[in-house]
Amino acid sequence: MNLYLGFDFGTSGARSVVINNEASILAKADYAFEASQSEVMPTGWQTALFCLIEQIPLEVRQEIRAIAIDGTSSTVLLCDAVGNPIDAPLLYNDARSVAVMDRVRAIAPPNHTVLSATSSLAKLLWMTQLPSFNKARYFLHQADWIAFLLHGQLGISDYHNALKLGYDIEQLCYPAWLTQLPWADLLPKILVPGTPIGEVTAEIAQRFGLRRDCLVCAGTTDSIAAFLASGARSPGEAVTSLGSTLVLKLLSHTRVEDAKYGIYSHRLGDLWLTGGASNTGGAVLRQFFTQTQLEELSEQIDGSKASQLDYYPLLQPGDRFPINDSQLPPRLEPRPDEPVEFLHGLLESIARIEARGYHLLQQLGATPLTCVYTSGGGAKNLVWARIRERHLQVPIISLHATAAYGTALLAMRSNSFCKKLGD
């Protein structure tokens, strides 16, 4: 029996799913990161990875044929020659690279995807200023480094993660303006998502009872994994991920790119997965409410009626999409005395941002929206779904499949996955 394992590394925790050849789930597990900063550093990622593997029953582990991993887009780190991180990673929403944006603009073509303070390339340029930079031998994304822990090979990534590094997903190569830079030797080799990289190391196989010929495949980003898990296949279908942040992905005949609005397109066969990611989302809700409060208060909201509160919910200044402004201030006032009214205003405002995002994608030439699948923790909130449907004016379908399920599908289809889609 061949089984397939997918890992999803998000902002609040990590998840795993094991599926069989029929894509049925046989095992799954969750790992929640602690609030401390150390839990989102590489040691925390490694702990989560190994704990998730150990939670899989041994008899299941012994049948796993392939593994794939997704990580948060543009969470990056520098490593030395043996894979040890030389400094703290920069997370997906870290905008300190705004300080080097003049250098990014001098390197990259106008209106390019990398022209954002949170892009992988901007972070790499910022990292070149670190005192430890001379020790760097590899620049990796979160999913790349976690996969390295299993297969032992450094300097390998996939073209979904590498999009915001400047990789040309039409020509399938690094552009000349990138390869001519003095630190270009740090850039990873790029593979098609799902391509087998290599077998797990002998140490990993022995430690966890995995098959010695278990393959580790090139991964993807968390939002694309969520899209793969949705089953959406037709242009006009979209997936909104309501996790810690808000991520929109619309399947389109047309590629849409506009760094001015934080919009970019991933390649998916002969179609394009266009969209963007906002820093608003569930992390803001959890700043004010516990999970129990969110559930109880939501039940008291009439989703058919609009809240007049107009917020732009952010944890800290700065957003990426549909407004790309690293200094955009949070707007969370006025705050009513009644918690129900406050929550209603937050849910309504995030729904407005979502609708504004999809409207902008279509204004710029993307295929018209026909329906929206919803993943992430917010997908379970039925009142929020009614509010969002009122704003989007298309059917909303809640998904129970997780991003980890999408990476398990990627592992199952392995190299043939992208070939089937036309890559």
Side-chain angles (χ1 to χ4, degrees), residues 86-308:
I86 66 167
D87 217 303
L90 296 187
L91 302 183
Y92 69 98
N93 60 347
D94 194 311
R96 72 185 74 182
S97 305
V98 67
V100 298
M101 284 309 296
D102 285 345
R103 291 177 60 194
V104 179
R105 283 187 283 269
I107 292 170
N111 208 33
H112 197 281
T113 306
V114 300
L115 296 176
S116 165
T118 58
S119 74
S120 300
L121 181 62
K123 288 170 181 166
L124 175 54
L125 279 169
W126 185 88
M127 287 172 161
T128 62
Q129 306 173 130
L130 293 171
S132 58
F133 184 73
N134 63 342
K135 301 177 185 177
R137 296 297 178 269
Y138 298 98
F139 178 76
L140 299 174
H141 303 89
Q142 180 186 32
D144 309 337
W145 187 80
I146 296 170
F148 151 72
L149 297 176
L150 298 180
H151 58 61
Q153 300 183 45
L154 284 162
I156 300 174
S157 189
D158 63 272
Y159 68 49
H160 289 158
N161 272 294
L163 176 71
K164 297 179 187 177
L165 182 54
Y167 187 76
D168 188 330
I169 55 174
E170 289 196 86
Q171 300 301 317
L172 297 180
C173 64
Y174 283 113
W177 58 263
L178 197 51
T179 58
Q180 293 169 0
L181 296 172
W183 32 257
D185 58 332
L186 300 179
L187 300 177
K189 174 184 177 182
I190 305 303
L191 301 178
V192 174
T195 302
I197 296 172
E199 298 172 343
V200 294
T201 64
E203 179 185 357
I204 289 294
Q206 182 176 12
R207 176 175 176 178
F208 296 107
L210 296 170
R211 293 168 54 149
R212 188 61 187 86
D213 63 349
C214 177
L215 293 169
V216 183
C217 304
T220 185
T221 65
D222 54 348
S223 59
I224 291 187
F227 189 90
L228 297 176
S230 73
R233 290 291 180 269
S234 300
E237 295 182 326
V239 171
T240 293
S241 179
L242 292 176
S244 297
T245 59
L246 173 72
V247 182
L248 312 187
K249 297 289 183 187
L250 172 61
L251 198 58
S252 174
H253 288 294
T254 309
R255 182 181 184 181
V256 176
E257 302 272 343
D258 200 322
K260 179 172 59 179
Y261 297 109
I263 293 171
Y264 53 92
S265 291
H266 282 282
R267 180 175 177 171
L268 204 61
D270 58 353
L271 298 174
W272 296 97
L273 198 53
T274 185
S278 170
N279 291 336
T280 193
V284 183
L285 301 179
R286 287 194 298 273
Q287 184 182 33
F288 300 105
F289 303 101
T290 66
Q291 185 59 40
T292 300
Q293 289 173 328
L294 285 171
E295 293 171 2
E296 293 177 350
L297 294 173
S298 292
E299 291 178 356
Q300 302 174 47
I301 296 172
D302 183 352
S304 66
K305 296 181 179 178
S307 168
Q308 299 309 306

Side-chain angles (χ1 to χ4, degrees), residues 35 45 60 82 95-96 103 105 132 139 154 175 184 186 192 211 244 321 327 329 332 350 379 394 408 412 414 419:
W45 301 342
V60 174
V82 294
R96 72 185 74 182
R103 291 177 60 194
R105 283 187 283 269
S132 58
F139 178 76
L154 284 162
L186 300 179
V192 174
R211 293 168 54 149
S244 297
F321 167 83
Q327 304 302 316
L332 294 164
I350 296 173
V394 297
M412 180 178 74
S414 193
K419 289 180 180 177

Side-chain angles (χ1 to χ4, degrees), residues 242 291 295 374-383 398-400:
L242 292 176
Q291 185 59 40
E295 293 171 2
T374 309
S375 66
K380 302 172 186 176
N381 192 318
L382 299 181
V383 171
S398 293
L399 293 172
H400 300 294

